[in-house]
Amino acid sequence: MSDAVRETLDRYYAALKAGDREALRGVVSDEIEVHYPAPEGLLPWAGDWAGFDGFESFVATVGDHLVIDMVEPLAVHVAGDTVVTVLRGEWTVKATGRKVRTETVNMFTLHDGKIVRYQVFTDTAALGIGLGKLAAA
């Protein structure tokens, strides 16, 4: 991974963790697109979010429902302007207190050192169970 890509991702994750809006503005494009697929109605933060305001709404919606307990990077793959990160994470659902453990893939598209597209692929069933919207087997 190039130093510039690593720096962009490090700045992104640090700003996200700190809740630093200005630092996020420095690394996220004003025209960012967020795509978080899930069955309709299952996850409050699922769907498509556009622009920096949409990105902030997405982050706030996730934060309204989940506490990040742990995120461990497992792998990072770079292909041109696309960066794929594989993470193992643990979250606590605020409404239920349930723990959710998943592996998640984050796919970023970078342009001129900023994130212009952010896609998340994760175990939506585990999150739905954690939220109390699906029954565990």
Side-chain angles (χ1 to χ4, degrees):
M1 170 174 23
S2 76
D3 290 342
V5 169
R6 179 179 301 282
E7 180 185 335
T8 298
L9 291 181
D10 288 348
R11 287 176 44 217
Y12 171 77
Y13 283 121
L16 196 60
K17 183 177 181 179
D20 186 338
R21 183 177 194 272
E22 290 310 309
L24 281 169
R25 262 213 188 275
V27 73
V28 172
S29 168
D30 288 339
E31 292 82 34
I32 188 170
E33 298 173 3
V34 176
H35 179 64
Y36 197 118
E40 190 168 334
L42 183 62
L43 307 177
W45 56 87
D48 295 307
W49 307 74
F52 191 79
D53 290 341
F55 170 79
E56 284 189 310
S57 294
F58 164 76
V59 170
T61 302
V62 171
D64 287 346
H65 297 278
L66 300 177
V67 174
I68 300 170
D69 298 321
M70 183 273 302
V71 175
E72 173 189 4
L74 301 176
V76 178
H77 305 281
V78 180
D81 289 340
T82 301
V83 181
V84 176
T85 61
V86 181
L87 311 166
R88 178 179 299 127
E90 183 175 298
W91 296 265
T92 300
V93 177
K94 290 180 178 181
T96 64
R98 292 179 179 155
K99 298 282 186 186
V100 176
R101 293 171 190 85
T102 69
E103 287 188 10
T104 299
V105 173
N106 289 334
M107 188 162 49
F108 299 93
T109 304
L110 305 177
H111 184 69
D112 291 334
K114 288 196 170 191
I115 299 166
V116 297
R117 185 160 171 81
Y118 173 51
Q119 300 172 80
V120 182
F121 303 96
T122 193
D123 185 345
T124 57
L127 288 161
I129 291 167
L131 288 166
K133 295 190 174 192
L134 295 174

